[in-house]
Amino acid sequence: MACEQSSHMNQGEGEKSYARNSSIQSAAQKWMNPVVEEAVTDLMKKFSNASGSMVIADLGCGSGPNAIALASMAVDAIFRHRGHDEQVPPELCVLLNDLPDNDFSSVAKHLVAFQEDAPSFGPVLTAIVPGSFYKRLFIGSSLHLVLASYSVHWLSEAPEDLRKNRIPMYDCDEGLRQARRPLVLEAYARQFKKDFTLFLNLRAQELVPGGQMVISLLGHCSSDSTCQSNLLCDGVAFMLDDMASKGIIDREKLDSFYLPMYGPSDKELRKIIQDENSFMINKIVVHDVVSDMDKKSSITPKTVALATRAAYGPIVAQHFGSQGQVLEEFERTVELHVSAGSPKAVAPGFLILCVSLKKKV
Protein backbone atom coordinates (compact mmCIF):
# COMPACT_ATOMS: atom_id res chain seq x y z
CA MET A 1 0.00 0.00 0.00
CA ALA A 2 1.91 2.99 -1.24
CA CYS A 3 1.83 5.91 1.13
CA GLU A 4 1.88 8.30 -1.83
CA GLN A 5 -1.40 6.93 -3.10
CA SER A 6 -3.34 6.55 0.10
CA SER A 7 -2.02 8.58 3.02
CA HIS A 8 -3.70 11.93 2.81
CA MET A 9 -5.86 13.60 5.44
CA ASN A 10 -9.60 14.32 5.36
CA GLN A 11 -10.09 17.26 3.03
CA GLY A 12 -12.10 20.45 3.40
CA GLU A 13 -12.75 22.44 6.56
CA GLY A 14 -15.91 20.76 7.86
CA GLU A 15 -16.52 19.02 11.19
CA LYS A 16 -14.73 15.81 10.11
CA SER A 17 -11.84 17.51 8.29
CA TYR A 18 -8.18 17.37 9.20
CA ALA A 19 -8.15 21.18 9.25
CA ARG A 20 -10.65 21.15 12.14
CA ASN A 21 -9.18 18.12 13.94
CA SER A 22 -5.42 18.56 14.11
CA SER A 23 -4.93 20.16 17.52
CA ILE A 24 -2.26 17.63 18.52
CA GLN A 25 -0.30 18.42 15.34
CA SER A 26 -0.69 22.12 16.08
CA ALA A 27 0.62 21.62 19.63
CA ALA A 28 3.61 19.71 18.25
CA GLN A 29 4.41 22.58 15.89
CA LYS A 30 4.28 25.14 18.70
CA TRP A 31 6.58 22.98 20.77
CA MET A 32 9.05 22.97 17.85
CA ASN A 33 9.30 26.78 17.96
CA PRO A 34 12.45 27.10 20.14
CA VAL A 35 14.22 24.40 18.10
CA VAL A 36 13.34 26.23 14.87
CA GLU A 37 14.54 29.50 16.43
CA GLU A 38 17.90 27.92 17.27
CA ALA A 39 18.23 26.55 13.74
CA VAL A 40 17.44 29.97 12.25
CA THR A 41 19.97 31.67 14.54
CA ASP A 42 22.70 29.28 13.42
CA LEU A 43 21.62 29.65 9.80
CA MET A 44 21.72 33.45 9.93
CA LYS A 45 25.20 33.42 11.45
CA LYS A 46 26.49 31.29 8.59
CA PHE A 47 24.72 33.29 5.90
CA SER A 48 24.96 36.71 7.57
CA ASN A 49 26.76 38.18 4.59
CA ALA A 50 24.49 36.58 2.01
CA SER A 51 22.72 39.35 0.11
CA GLY A 52 20.45 37.23 -2.06
CA SER A 53 17.59 35.01 -1.00
CA MET A 54 16.77 32.17 1.33
CA VAL A 55 14.51 29.21 0.60
CA ILE A 56 12.40 27.39 3.21
CA ALA A 57 10.59 24.12 2.50
CA ASP A 58 7.92 22.49 4.66
CA LEU A 59 7.53 18.78 3.80
CA GLY A 60 4.18 17.15 4.52
CA CYS A 61 2.53 20.49 5.30
CA GLY A 62 -1.00 19.08 5.54
CA SER A 63 -3.98 21.42 5.22
CA GLY A 64 -5.83 24.03 7.22
CA PRO A 65 -4.10 26.53 9.55
CA ASN A 66 -1.25 24.11 10.32
CA ALA A 67 -0.11 24.13 6.68
CA ILE A 68 1.59 27.51 6.97
CA ALA A 69 2.35 27.57 10.72
CA LEU A 70 5.90 26.16 10.61
CA ALA A 71 7.00 28.29 7.67
CA SER A 72 5.48 31.39 9.28
CA MET A 73 7.39 30.59 12.48
CA ALA A 74 10.67 30.41 10.54
CA VAL A 75 9.98 33.55 8.49
CA ASP A 76 9.20 35.51 11.62
CA ALA A 77 12.42 34.30 13.26
CA ILE A 78 14.51 35.25 10.20
CA PHE A 79 13.17 38.79 9.99
CA ARG A 80 13.43 39.35 13.72
CA HIS A 81 17.04 38.18 13.60
CA ARG A 82 17.88 40.54 10.75
CA GLY A 83 15.98 43.36 12.48
CA HIS A 84 18.03 42.97 15.66
CA ASP A 85 21.23 43.19 13.60
CA GLU A 86 19.81 46.13 11.59
CA GLN A 87 20.50 44.24 8.37
CA VAL A 88 18.48 44.31 5.19
CA PRO A 89 16.16 41.26 5.26
CA PRO A 90 16.68 38.69 2.53
CA GLU A 91 14.11 37.78 -0.06
CA LEU A 92 12.42 34.63 1.13
CA CYS A 93 10.81 31.81 -0.79
CA VAL A 94 8.49 29.42 1.07
CA LEU A 95 7.75 26.07 -0.58
CA LEU A 96 4.96 23.89 0.81
CA ASN A 97 4.95 20.21 -0.04
CA ASP A 98 2.56 17.31 0.44
CA LEU A 99 1.18 14.37 -1.51
CA PRO A 100 -0.84 15.15 -4.66
CA ASP A 101 -4.15 14.17 -2.98
CA ASN A 102 -3.64 16.72 -0.20
CA ASP A 103 -6.26 19.49 0.05
CA PHE A 104 -4.13 22.14 -1.68
CA SER A 105 -7.13 24.41 -2.24
CA SER A 106 -7.21 24.91 1.53
CA VAL A 107 -3.43 25.41 1.56
CA ALA A 108 -3.68 28.06 -1.17
CA LYS A 109 -6.22 30.05 0.86
CA HIS A 110 -3.91 30.12 3.86
CA LEU A 111 -0.97 31.08 1.65
CA VAL A 112 -2.92 34.10 0.39
CA ALA A 113 -3.56 35.23 3.96
CA PHE A 114 0.12 34.63 4.78
CA GLN A 115 1.24 36.75 1.81
CA GLU A 116 -1.11 39.55 2.84
CA ASP A 117 0.73 39.67 6.17
CA ALA A 118 4.11 39.40 4.47
CA PRO A 119 4.69 43.19 4.11
CA SER A 120 5.15 43.30 7.88
CA PHE A 121 8.07 40.90 7.37
CA GLY A 122 9.45 41.75 3.95
CA PRO A 123 9.31 40.16 0.50
CA VAL A 124 8.13 36.53 0.71
CA LEU A 125 7.34 34.43 -2.33
CA THR A 126 5.42 31.16 -2.00
CA ALA A 127 4.76 28.03 -4.03
CA ILE A 128 3.13 24.63 -3.66
CA VAL A 129 5.15 21.53 -4.57
CA PRO A 130 3.07 18.32 -4.74
CA GLY A 131 4.89 15.00 -4.50
CA SER A 132 6.32 12.39 -2.13
CA PHE A 133 9.25 13.45 0.03
CA TYR A 134 10.68 10.01 -0.66
CA LYS A 135 11.59 11.39 -4.10
CA ARG A 136 13.60 14.43 -5.21
CA LEU A 137 11.46 17.55 -4.96
CA PHE A 138 13.84 20.49 -5.43
CA ILE A 139 16.94 21.35 -7.44
CA GLY A 140 20.32 20.62 -5.89
CA SER A 141 21.75 22.92 -3.19
CA SER A 142 18.73 25.22 -3.33
CA LEU A 143 17.23 24.99 0.18
CA HIS A 144 18.47 26.73 3.31
CA LEU A 145 15.95 25.39 5.81
CA VAL A 146 13.83 22.23 5.66
CA LEU A 147 10.95 21.72 8.10
CA ALA A 148 8.65 18.75 8.63
CA SER A 149 6.13 18.13 11.38
CA TYR A 150 4.14 14.98 12.06
CA SER A 151 4.90 13.51 8.64
CA VAL A 152 8.12 11.46 8.49
CA HIS A 153 6.64 8.61 10.56
CA TRP A 154 4.50 7.89 7.46
CA LEU A 155 6.30 5.27 5.40
CA SER A 156 6.60 5.12 1.62
CA GLU A 157 4.82 1.77 1.77
CA ALA A 158 3.89 -1.00 4.16
CA PRO A 159 6.66 -3.54 4.85
CA GLU A 160 7.02 -5.77 1.81
CA ASP A 161 8.01 -8.80 3.92
CA LEU A 162 4.64 -8.78 5.66
CA ARG A 163 2.64 -8.39 2.46
CA LYS A 164 4.66 -11.05 0.61
CA ASN A 165 4.33 -13.62 3.39
CA ARG A 166 0.73 -12.64 4.17
CA ILE A 167 1.53 -11.89 7.80
CA PRO A 168 -1.25 -9.63 9.12
CA MET A 169 -0.37 -6.37 10.78
CA TYR A 170 -2.69 -7.39 13.63
CA ASP A 171 -3.78 -11.01 14.24
CA CYS A 172 -7.16 -11.45 15.88
CA ASP A 173 -5.76 -14.46 17.76
CA GLU A 174 -3.84 -13.13 20.78
CA GLY A 175 -1.39 -16.04 20.93
CA LEU A 176 -0.60 -15.89 17.23
CA ARG A 177 -0.26 -12.10 17.42
CA GLN A 178 2.31 -12.33 20.21
CA ALA A 179 4.22 -15.09 18.42
CA ARG A 180 4.45 -13.05 15.23
CA ARG A 181 5.11 -9.79 17.02
CA PRO A 182 8.91 -9.77 16.62
CA LEU A 183 8.54 -10.36 12.85
CA VAL A 184 6.08 -7.48 12.51
CA LEU A 185 8.21 -5.10 14.59
CA GLU A 186 11.39 -5.96 12.69
CA ALA A 187 9.67 -5.55 9.32
CA TYR A 188 8.37 -2.09 10.23
CA ALA A 189 11.74 -1.05 11.68
CA ARG A 190 13.53 -2.13 8.50
CA GLN A 191 11.08 -0.22 6.32
CA PHE A 192 11.52 2.92 8.42
CA LYS A 193 15.30 2.64 8.25
CA LYS A 194 15.16 2.28 4.47
CA ASP A 195 12.76 5.21 4.07
CA PHE A 196 14.41 7.59 6.54
CA THR A 197 17.85 6.91 5.08
CA LEU A 198 16.47 7.80 1.64
CA PHE A 199 14.78 10.90 3.08
CA LEU A 200 18.07 12.12 4.56
CA ASN A 201 19.99 11.43 1.35
CA LEU A 202 17.48 13.33 -0.79
CA ARG A 203 17.40 16.33 1.53
CA ALA A 204 21.21 16.38 1.64
CA GLN A 205 21.18 16.78 -2.13
CA GLU A 206 18.67 19.64 -1.96
CA LEU A 207 20.11 21.62 0.98
CA VAL A 208 23.00 24.05 0.67
CA PRO A 209 26.14 23.11 2.67
CA GLY A 210 25.48 24.18 6.25
CA GLY A 211 21.73 24.21 5.64
CA GLN A 212 19.45 23.28 8.53
CA MET A 213 16.66 20.74 8.92
CA VAL A 214 14.17 20.49 11.80
CA ILE A 215 11.67 17.65 11.82
CA SER A 216 9.26 16.21 14.36
CA LEU A 217 7.65 12.78 14.26
CA LEU A 218 5.89 10.31 16.48
CA GLY A 219 8.25 7.95 18.27
CA HIS A 220 9.30 6.77 21.69
CA CYS A 221 12.17 7.13 24.12
CA SER A 222 14.67 4.26 23.92
CA SER A 223 14.82 4.11 27.73
CA ASP A 224 11.05 3.53 27.99
CA SER A 225 10.41 -0.22 28.02
CA THR A 226 6.59 0.15 28.08
CA CYS A 227 6.31 0.71 24.33
CA GLN A 228 8.97 -1.62 22.97
CA SER A 229 6.32 -4.09 21.80
CA ASN A 230 3.91 -1.54 20.33
CA LEU A 231 3.47 0.07 16.94
CA LEU A 232 1.76 3.30 15.95
CA CYS A 233 -0.72 1.19 13.98
CA ASP A 234 -1.80 -0.84 17.03
CA GLY A 235 -4.56 1.50 18.16
CA VAL A 236 -6.16 1.75 14.71
CA ALA A 237 -5.77 -2.01 14.14
CA PHE A 238 -7.46 -2.74 17.48
CA MET A 239 -10.46 -0.58 16.46
CA LEU A 240 -10.71 -2.28 13.07
CA ASP A 241 -10.44 -5.72 14.70
CA ASP A 242 -13.40 -4.83 16.90
CA MET A 243 -15.37 -3.75 13.82
CA ALA A 244 -14.48 -7.00 12.02
CA SER A 245 -15.69 -9.05 15.01
CA LYS A 246 -19.08 -7.31 14.64
CA GLY A 247 -19.21 -7.97 10.90
CA ILE A 248 -18.98 -4.29 9.96
CA ILE A 249 -15.85 -4.87 7.88
CA ASP A 250 -14.57 -8.03 6.26
CA ARG A 251 -12.05 -10.05 8.30
CA GLU A 252 -10.07 -11.08 5.21
CA LYS A 253 -9.74 -7.42 4.21
CA LEU A 254 -8.43 -6.61 7.68
CA ASP A 255 -5.80 -9.34 7.34
CA SER A 256 -4.50 -7.62 4.18
CA PHE A 257 -4.56 -4.09 5.68
CA TYR A 258 -1.23 -2.52 6.60
CA LEU A 259 -0.96 1.00 8.00
CA PRO A 260 2.28 2.53 6.67
CA MET A 261 3.42 4.16 9.91
CA TYR A 262 6.29 3.60 12.33
CA GLY A 263 7.39 5.47 15.45
CA PRO A 264 11.14 4.98 16.01
CA SER A 265 13.06 5.46 19.22
CA ASP A 266 15.46 8.37 19.64
CA LYS A 267 18.28 5.79 19.62
CA GLU A 268 17.12 4.39 16.25
CA LEU A 269 16.97 7.89 14.77
CA ARG A 270 20.46 8.78 15.95
CA LYS A 271 21.92 5.56 14.51
CA ILE A 272 20.26 6.03 11.10
CA ILE A 273 21.42 9.67 10.88
CA GLN A 274 24.96 8.77 11.83
CA ASP A 275 25.11 5.86 9.38
CA GLU A 276 23.75 7.97 6.50
CA ASN A 277 26.45 10.56 7.37
CA SER A 278 25.19 13.65 5.51
CA PHE A 279 24.17 15.57 8.64
CA MET A 280 25.50 16.64 12.01
CA ILE A 281 23.01 16.24 14.85
CA ASN A 282 22.34 19.51 16.64
CA LYS A 283 19.93 17.87 19.07
CA ILE A 284 17.22 15.26 19.46
CA VAL A 285 14.60 16.20 22.03
CA VAL A 286 11.61 14.25 23.30
CA HIS A 287 8.28 15.67 24.43
CA ASP A 288 4.90 14.30 25.49
CA VAL A 289 2.59 16.73 23.69
CA VAL A 290 -0.50 14.56 24.19
CA SER A 291 0.02 14.38 27.95
CA ASP A 292 0.48 18.16 28.13
CA MET A 293 -2.75 18.73 26.21
CA ASP A 294 -4.60 16.17 28.34
CA LYS A 295 -3.55 18.00 31.50
CA LYS A 296 -5.19 21.11 30.07
CA SER A 297 -8.42 19.11 29.47
CA SER A 298 -8.26 19.81 25.74
CA ILE A 299 -8.55 16.14 24.79
CA THR A 300 -11.86 14.28 25.10
CA PRO A 301 -12.98 10.92 23.67
CA LYS A 302 -14.91 12.79 20.98
CA THR A 303 -11.95 14.94 19.94
CA VAL A 304 -9.75 11.82 19.80
CA ALA A 305 -12.35 10.06 17.65
CA LEU A 306 -12.65 13.00 15.25
CA ALA A 307 -8.87 13.42 15.04
CA THR A 308 -8.41 9.69 14.38
CA ARG A 309 -11.03 9.75 11.64
CA ALA A 310 -9.52 12.87 10.08
CA ALA A 311 -6.05 11.30 9.97
CA TYR A 312 -6.88 7.70 9.04
CA GLY A 313 -10.33 7.95 7.44
CA PRO A 314 -9.10 8.16 3.82
CA ILE A 315 -6.79 5.14 4.09
CA VAL A 316 -9.47 3.12 5.91
CA ALA A 317 -12.10 4.08 3.33
CA GLN A 318 -9.79 3.20 0.45
CA HIS A 319 -9.17 -0.31 1.76
CA PHE A 320 -12.54 -1.24 3.29
CA GLY A 321 -14.89 0.81 1.12
CA SER A 322 -15.88 4.46 1.10
CA GLN A 323 -19.45 3.91 2.28
CA GLY A 324 -20.28 6.27 5.13
CA GLN A 325 -21.23 3.45 7.51
CA VAL A 326 -17.63 2.23 7.78
CA LEU A 327 -16.21 5.62 8.73
CA GLU A 328 -19.10 6.49 11.03
CA GLU A 329 -18.64 3.18 12.84
CA PHE A 330 -14.87 3.69 12.92
CA GLU A 331 -15.39 7.05 14.64
CA ARG A 332 -17.92 5.57 17.09
CA THR A 333 -15.62 2.64 17.90
CA VAL A 334 -12.70 4.96 18.69
CA GLU A 335 -14.85 7.16 20.93
CA LEU A 336 -16.30 4.13 22.73
CA HIS A 337 -12.95 2.56 23.56
CA VAL A 338 -11.28 5.84 24.53
CA SER A 339 -14.25 6.62 26.82
CA ALA A 340 -13.88 3.19 28.41
CA GLY A 341 -10.18 3.78 28.98
CA SER A 342 -9.18 0.75 26.96
CA PRO A 343 -5.39 0.28 27.17
CA LYS A 344 -5.37 -0.99 23.58
CA ALA A 345 -7.13 2.07 22.17
CA VAL A 346 -3.90 4.03 21.96
CA ALA A 347 -0.44 2.46 22.05
CA PRO A 348 1.24 3.67 25.27
CA GLY A 349 4.55 5.44 25.52
CA PHE A 350 4.56 7.28 22.20
CA LEU A 351 6.00 10.77 22.25
CA ILE A 352 7.04 13.48 19.81
CA LEU A 353 10.69 13.37 18.75
CA CYS A 354 12.13 16.62 17.42
CA VAL A 355 15.38 16.36 15.47
CA SER A 356 17.55 19.33 14.54
CA LEU A 357 20.22 18.68 11.90
CA LYS A 358 22.84 20.58 9.94
CA LYS A 359 24.07 19.46 6.55
CA LYS A 360 27.79 18.78 6.62
CA VAL A 361 29.96 21.15 4.60
Side-chain angles (χ1 to χ4, degrees):
M1 184 183 300
C3 180
E4 185 171 355
Q5 295 174 344
S6 55
S7 299
H8 62 88
M9 308 296 111
N10 269 5
Q11 299 184 350
E13 298 193 7
E15 182 190 7
K16 313 289 187 184
S17 69
Y18 174 80
R20 291 271 296 273
N21 295 284
S22 51
S23 57
I24 294 176
Q25 291 87 333
S26 177
Q29 288 179 331
K30 290 174 182 175
W31 173 68
M32 289 172 68
N33 189 35
V35 186
V36 172
E37 292 261 0
E38 289 174 10
V40 166
T41 299
D42 189 81
L43 195 65
M44 299 306 289
K45 287 177 181 176
K46 178 173 178 58
F47 296 98
S48 60
N49 297 320
S51 57
S53 60
M54 299 186 75
V55 182
I56 302 166
D58 183 350
L59 308 184
C61 65
S63 60
N66 289 351
I68 197 65
L70 271 183
S72 180
M73 188 187 298
V75 168
D76 183 47
I78 289 170
F79 280 101
R80 277 191 286 103
H81 190 280
R82 280 292 171 95
H84 290 159
D85 293 344
E86 298 183 349
Q87 294 178 318
V88 176
E91 268 197 335
L92 292 181
C93 179
V94 171
L95 306 173
L96 299 184
N97 154 263
D98 213 311
L99 296 172
D101 286 337
N102 185 53
D103 187 1
F104 283 116
S105 60
S106 168
V107 175
K109 291 176 184 177
H110 289 282
L111 272 179
V112 170
F114 173 71
Q115 286 180 308
E116 287 175 352
D117 291 336
S120 63
F121 298 124
V124 181
L125 304 178
T126 62
I128 290 170
V129 183
S132 169
F133 49 55
Y134 293 120
K135 298 178 181 177
R136 276 290 299 271
L137 293 167
F138 313 103
I139 61 174
S141 300
S142 63
L143 306 179
H144 294 82
L145 177 62
V146 170
L147 305 168
S149 175
Y150 237 76
S151 56
V152 184
H153 51 253
W154 285 98
L155 305 172
S156 66
E157 61 180 355
E160 186 179 3
D161 291 353
L162 301 184
R163 291 186 284 112
K164 255 187 184 178
N165 298 310
R166 298 184 178 181
I167 299 174
M169 177 181 74
Y170 189 91
D171 282 290
C172 61
D173 182 272
E174 177 73 21
L176 193 55
R177 184 166 68 249
Q178 293 304 321
R180 286 175 165 173
R181 199 60 173 170
L183 293 174
V184 176
L185 284 165
E186 288 169 15
Y188 269 95
R190 280 196 304 271
Q191 185 65 47
F192 178 80
K193 181 179 179 181
K194 175 184 173 183
D195 282 346
F196 193 57
T197 298
L198 176 61
F199 177 87
L200 293 171
N201 182 265
L202 294 171
R203 304 295 81 81
Q205 294 177 55
E206 296 165 346
L207 276 160
V208 298
Q212 297 275 341
M213 181 158 65
V214 180
I215 61 175
S216 71
L217 68 161
L218 284 170
H220 64 273
C221 183
S222 55
S223 61
D224 186 353
S225 60
T226 62
C227 62
Q228 296 303 307
S229 61
N230 290 289
L231 291 167
L232 290 177
C233 53
D234 278 349
V236 174
F238 170 73
M239 306 299 174
L240 294 172
D241 179 65
D242 186 28
M243 291 168 63
S245 68
K246 297 173 183 175
I248 298 166
I249 59 174
D250 183 72
R251 172 65 65 183
E252 288 188 8
K253 280 196 171 184
L254 177 56
D255 287 344
S256 63
F257 177 74
Y258 301 94
L259 196 62
M261 293 181 71
Y262 180 74
S265 70
D266 53 335
K267 185 177 179 180
E268 282 178 277
L269 274 180
R270 187 176 296 275
K271 180 71 164 57
I272 295 170
I273 294 164
Q274 290 171 343
D275 287 348
E276 196 279 333
N277 201 36
S278 294
F279 292 91
M280 294 182 291
I281 300 173
N282 296 325
K283 61 169 56 177
I284 298 177
V285 286
V286 183
H287 190 68
D288 191 347
V289 172
V290 176
S291 177
D292 281 356
M293 293 180 69
D294 196 33
K295 290 171 185 173
K296 298 173 185 175
S297 301
S298 56
I299 295 181
T300 66
K302 184 64 175 177
T303 59
V304 172
L306 287 170
T308 304
R309 175 173 177 166
Y312 305 113
I315 198 169
V316 168
Q318 184 185 66
H319 189 78
F320 296 100
S322 58
Q323 57 267 40
Q325 180 191 358
V326 170
L327 292 183
E328 290 299 324
E329 188 59 35
F330 180 60
E331 181 185 324
R332 281 196 294 271
T333 302
V334 174
E335 185 174 1
L336 175 67
H337 284 288
V338 173
S339 296
S342 172
K344 292 184 178 181
V346 181
F350 281 99
L351 309 167
I352 301 290
L353 308 182
C354 186
V355 187
S356 176
L357 306 171
K358 181 193 288 189
K359 180 185 170 181
K360 292 182 178 180
V361 178

